[in-house]
Amino acid sequence: MFLTAEEQDMLAGGQGKATRKAMQILVALGTIYGAERMLPVTSVQVAGVSYDNLGEPGLQFLQEMAEGGGQARVLTTLNPAGMDVDAWETLGISPEFASSQRRVLDAFAHMGVLTTCTCTPYLVGNLPHFGQHLAWAESSAVCFANSVIGARTNREGGPSALASALTGCTPAYGFHLDRSRQPSLCVEVTAGLEACGEWEESLVFGALGKAIGDRLPESAHPPVTFIRGLSRVSLEGLKAFCASLATYAGAALFHMEGITPEAGSLKPPAAVIQIGERELNLALDSMTSAAAEEVDFVSLGCPHLTIREIARLAELLAGKRVKKEFWITTARPTKFLADRMGLSRIIEDSGARFAVDTCCVVAPIQGRFHALATDSAKACYYAGAKNGFKTLVKSFDDVVREALQ
Ligand code: F3S
């Protein structure tokens, strides 16, 4: 693998221990995947932030990198942590966990990583443009960056994303190369998604992602899909779709005719699958395992809510009281805006809680609840797989109604 003089210096330890370790990780990856060289990246999104997932070994690795002089060389943002950094106590997080989580965040901050703690970096200042090379972890954001924006990133893991932050580069393979971005499967959507209401999109597009995933064979290299038959989708619908397709199809990239930027220059593949009402309904049904009366936990914000979704929530909750534990998960800058607009007060007066910096999947809440109501296909998967919760999936508005019953 060709390395520039500076990259060789990093690998030889000329720029500190942490940078050497970071370059070793990237060279190993590049060698495995046959990369010929490194590419400079313009931004990084690091995942693997919750102490619930990292544990002591993960924390130790981060502290070693920080103590070894690691410093981010490009804009680097962070995935959600295991707690609201300010309001962890009111969410029932233990002081022991909070202390460990703070050490994780301190290590990242020491390395110059912005502790944004959100899975929607593109909403809070890490917004790449078309064609830029990135090193992003967080599968939903990777799918959004590649597909909706047309930037280029592989699905990085926590250590490889951090390694790119500390070196400013990534090996040139996979979705950085034109040939990996070609679609090989056409998906014709005949389900008539245009008929769905504005606030049903997160549910319906999440179901579409699962329906596509259910039709694909299990593979370490899922096909890049070329999706036809959709004439409109909101930012919120795309956010939900990317999270779902990444979860159920393992996808890092799709093209959507008339909507995503690369679709217009690509030829639709000959191989076709169709997704109609039946497939969509099957996907929806398969995500529900709880009856309404079993629900004891309600959450919206997987991926993190936009300010438009928070405004809708305030509209639905104004003057009412929720009867179940209800977490609203979003990025802190979005919450600041909600505070300024008077939306947070309306929401909090209803008894619902903001769980900023975190989410219902990465927080340490296993065993605390029995069944989750959500509009998120991704949350359905991980609430079951990670936390053992049953799930009830509904539209955004209906999830709020669930909390009020
Ligand atoms: Fe984000 Fe947590 Fe969902 S990280 S995409 S809110 S599982």
Side-chain angles (χ1 to χ4, degrees):
M1 184 177 181
F2 170 79
L3 295 180
T4 63
E6 178 160 31
E7 288 159 359
Q8 284 179 29
D9 186 43
M10 290 186 207
L11 189 61
Q15 302 192 25
K17 263 164 65 180
T19 309
R20 181 180 59 196
K21 177 87 198 152
M23 191 51 95
Q24 283 170 344
I25 291 171
L26 297 180
V27 168
L29 258 181
T31 306
I32 290 167
Y33 289 103
E36 290 174 0
R37 64 191 172 103
M38 295 287 174
L39 287 166
V41 293
T42 51
S43 88
V44 172
Q45 165 80 2
V46 176
V49 182
S50 173
Y51 183 75
D52 202 31
N53 301 333
L54 283 170
E56 234 9 68
L59 171 57
Q60 255 174 33
F61 169 75
L62 293 173
Q63 287 179 327
E64 275 167 28
M65 295 300 266
E67 282 158 16
Q71 272 301 305
R73 293 173 191 236
V74 294
L75 173 66
T76 302
T77 48
L78 212 53
N79 232 31
M83 64 181 198
D84 185 313
V85 174
D86 293 338
W88 52 271
E89 263 179 309
T90 60
L91 296 173
I93 304 296
S94 72
E96 295 74 31
F97 182 90
S99 157
S100 299
Q101 185 63 75
R102 277 193 191 286
R103 283 156 62 215
V104 170
L105 295 177
D106 287 349
F108 278 121
H110 197 80
M111 289 186 273
V113 175
L114 300 176
T115 53
T116 45
C117 299
T118 181
C119 49
T120 55
Y122 48 88
L123 296 178
V124 299
N126 188 351
L127 178 63
H129 64 64
F130 184 88
Q132 282 186 324
H133 294 281
L134 322 172
W136 281 21
E138 171 47 42
S139 63
S140 67
V142 165
C143 196
F144 192 97
N146 270 324
S147 314
V148 179
I149 298 170
R152 296 181 171 216
T153 176
N154 288 316
R155 273 171 73 130
E156 301 295 346
S160 65
L162 182 63
S164 286
L166 304 189
T167 58
C169 64
T170 192
Y173 73 95
F175 295 104
H176 294 283
L177 308 179
D178 287 346
R179 62 172 182 267
S180 307
R181 301 180 70 85
Q182 301 302 310
S184 60
L185 179 68
C186 192
V187 177
E188 277 181 8
V189 181
T190 58
L193 266 58
E194 278 72 14
C196 84
E198 187 182 2
W199 297 105
E200 292 169 329
E201 279 196 29
S202 54
L203 173 70
V204 171
F205 278 89
L208 178 62
K210 180 164 196 309
I212 295 171
D214 288 347
R215 294 288 305 277
L216 303 181
E218 286 255 333
S219 164
H221 301 288
V224 174
T225 50
F226 186 94
I227 300 165
R228 312 179 81 173
L230 300 166
S231 60
R232 66 164 177 86
V233 51
S234 65
L235 167 64
E236 289 77 9
L238 284 167
K239 174 168 73 79
F241 180 67
C242 290
S244 180
L245 197 71
T247 299
Y248 293 101
L253 168 67
F254 64 88
H255 304 289
M256 205 177 260
E257 193 174 49
I259 291 171
T260 63
E262 285 164 85
S265 59
L266 298 167
K267 203 165 153 262
V272 178
I273 59 167
Q274 292 201 333
I275 303 291
E277 295 290 347
R278 184 174 165 278
E279 286 76 19
L280 213 59
N281 288 331
L282 278 174
L284 278 173
D285 289 348
S286 67
M287 289 188 284
T288 286
S289 54
E293 52 278 13
E294 292 181 274
V295 170
D296 57 355
F297 182 37
V298 178
S299 186
L300 286 170
C302 174
H304 277 172
L305 293 183
T306 63
I307 189 65
R308 206 171 75 93
E309 288 173 315
I310 291 176
R312 176 64 175 173
L313 255 179
E315 204 179 320
L316 294 170
L317 289 174
K320 300 184 180 136
R321 287 292 299 171
V322 300
K323 301 210 172 68
K324 290 167 188 147
E325 179 85 3
F326 187 4
W327 285 17
I328 293 140
T329 60
T330 193
R332 193 159 292 279
T334 312
K335 167 71 163 43
F336 280 143
L337 190 53
D339 292 348
R340 176 179 285 181
M341 299 305 292
L343 302 170
S344 304
R345 170 166 297 194
I346 295 170
I347 291 167
E348 285 169 336
D349 282 352
S350 78
R353 302 169 202 270
F354 277 95
V356 177
D357 309 313
T358 187
C359 79
C360 68
V361 169
V362 298
I365 53 174
Q366 193 177 13
R368 230 173 96 183
F369 304 105
H370 175 66
L372 167 75
T374 175
D375 66 337
S376 164
K378 177 173 178 176
C380 283
Y381 179 85
Y382 286 103
K386 176 174 180 280
N387 288 331
F389 301 156
K390 288 181 159 186
T391 51
L392 177 66
V393 68
K394 293 199 158 199
S395 70
F396 189 92
D397 288 9
D398 284 344
V399 169
V400 177
R401 284 183 200 107
E402 202 56 51
L404 293 167
Q405 279 170 18

